[in-house]
Amino acid sequence: MTTINPIGVFDSGVGGLSVLREIRRELPGEDLLYVADSGHAPYGDKSGPLIEARSIAIVEFLVSQHAKAIVVACNTATGVAIETLRARFSVPIVAMEPAVKPAAMHTKSGVIGVLATSGTLVSNNFAKLHARFGADVNILVQACPGLVEQVEAGDLSGDKTRALIEQYVLPLLAQKADTIVLGCTHYPFLASLIQEIAGSSVAIIDPAPAIARELRRRLASIKQLSPEARAGTERFWTSAAPDETKQVISQLWQVDVEVLGLPNVSSVEATLKN
Ligand code: DGL
């Protein structure tokens, strides 16, 4: 392994690009590999074994591409599969977690709202977070079916997206939440609309910058940071039709990018048998 080996990042779809952009900001010299499992998005309503099998197959692919570290840029995959991934792979793995701790420290009203997928909200990892902070603050949880699909379709501000956000956010405000956690990596792409609907007095918390700093610390601790003077590159793969995913990745990444089809990991049935 050399310091210029790439970092592998994945999500159920394009949401993890909100993490990738923070990694790019924090670590300009790193080469980044990104897998969008768009052929299986959303993960939020899929079974645990399927999400775990997909996560294993994608990490295997990223390791085969010589990744020196992995970022699970998906709260749902983290909630379901992180223990298995860490037990199975020796490469350092950094993972998402809804930012309940910073929200608990920030709130003045004592009420925080967590927007996430139902998969994340029913996970053991989230139960542990709830147990840790739920005594100090009132944690309102809100599953948001449909929002991931809106981001996957590149619809960040249309009528349907707005109506869904109103449906999910207004009840939190009515219960005096003054801090809202974006507990799914797709939601930062909706942050301006969420802020507009919630009002400027409500804080919106995205854990992605903290994840990027954590990645820097992990790489520094094993002396695997690449030289900052390099210009890092990005490469993208998808398990859906590359032409379709290319459009939305290019929209969200704000650059016209090339997107390749993900090889050899498209058969969930085969992975589930392993
Ligand atoms: N972006 C992912 C997350 O952070 C997955 C959402 C989904 O596919 O349901 O949870």
Side-chain angles (χ1 to χ4, degrees):
M1 199 68 71
T2 74
T3 58
I4 57 165
N5 279 50
I7 296 164
V9 181
F10 78 95
D11 177 44
S12 65
V14 296
L17 295 170
S18 68
V19 183
L20 198 75
R21 71 184 170 190
E22 296 303 329
I23 296 173
R24 171 51 70 234
R25 214 167 271 159
E26 181 72 28
L27 300 168
E30 301 289 347
D31 289 343
L32 306 176
L33 313 178
Y34 184 86
V35 173
D37 197 12
S38 308
H40 302 92
Y43 277 179
D45 57 6
K46 300 288 188 309
S47 75
L50 187 142
I51 296 169
E52 191 166 275
R54 293 302 305 162
S55 301
I56 290 169
I58 293 167
V59 174
E60 267 168 10
F61 169 73
L62 291 167
V63 168
S64 79
Q65 298 294 309
H66 312 293
K68 64 183 173 185
I70 301 291
V71 178
V72 184
C74 176
N75 292 268
T76 314
T78 300
V80 172
I82 191 61
E83 281 87 10
T84 306
L85 294 177
R86 289 206 168 116
R88 192 161 172 143
F89 297 98
S90 55
V91 64
I93 300 180
V94 174
M96 303 302 296
E97 167 175 287
V100 171
K101 183 180 176 184
M105 287 162 69
H106 181 273
T107 180
K108 301 270 184 304
S109 67
V111 185
I112 69 171
V114 179
L115 303 178
T117 69
S118 40
T120 295
L121 296 174
V122 301
S123 70
N124 282 341
N125 282 4
F126 189 76
K128 282 187 210 152
L129 265 182
H130 201 291
R132 201 164 143 212
F133 297 102
D136 303 330
V137 292
N138 184 4
I139 304 173
L140 308 173
V141 298
Q142 177 64 62
C144 304
L147 272 194
V148 165
E149 289 89 332
Q150 293 305 104
V151 177
E152 288 293 312
D155 183 348
L156 308 184
S157 56
D159 291 348
K160 184 168 175 203
T161 306
R162 178 179 286 272
L164 284 170
I165 293 175
E166 283 174 354
Q167 180 189 334
Y168 299 138
V169 168
L170 296 180
L172 303 177
L173 305 180
Q175 293 171 80
K176 307 265 180 285
D178 66 351
T179 309
I180 292 179
V181 174
L182 303 181
C184 168
T185 55
H186 282 73
Y187 304 164
F189 290 112
L190 305 170
S192 349
L193 191 51
I194 295 172
Q195 188 80 70
E196 184 195 319
I197 288 165
S200 56
S201 61
V202 172
I204 312 274
I205 302 195
D206 170 12
I211 296 296
R213 290 193 296 273
E214 167 67 9
L215 175 63
R216 169 189 277 285
R217 276 193 294 275
R218 290 289 293 278
L219 289 174
S221 74
I222 55 171
K223 303 203 175 353
Q224 285 293 327
L225 277 174
S226 80
E228 298 228 330
R230 291 178 82 234
T233 61
E234 300 93 30
R235 297 178 69 197
F236 300 91
W237 286 267
T238 178
S239 58
D243 283 354
E244 279 170 30
T245 312
K246 174 187 161 64
Q247 284 184 25
V248 66
I249 291 185
S250 299
Q251 176 192 345
L252 299 179
W253 195 247
Q254 299 180 331
V255 176
D256 197 19
V257 298
E258 188 188 357
V259 178
L260 301 174
L262 186 63
N264 298 332
V265 299
S266 54
S267 168
V268 172
E269 293 72 24
T271 5
L272 281 170
K273 277 191 208 130
N274 286 334

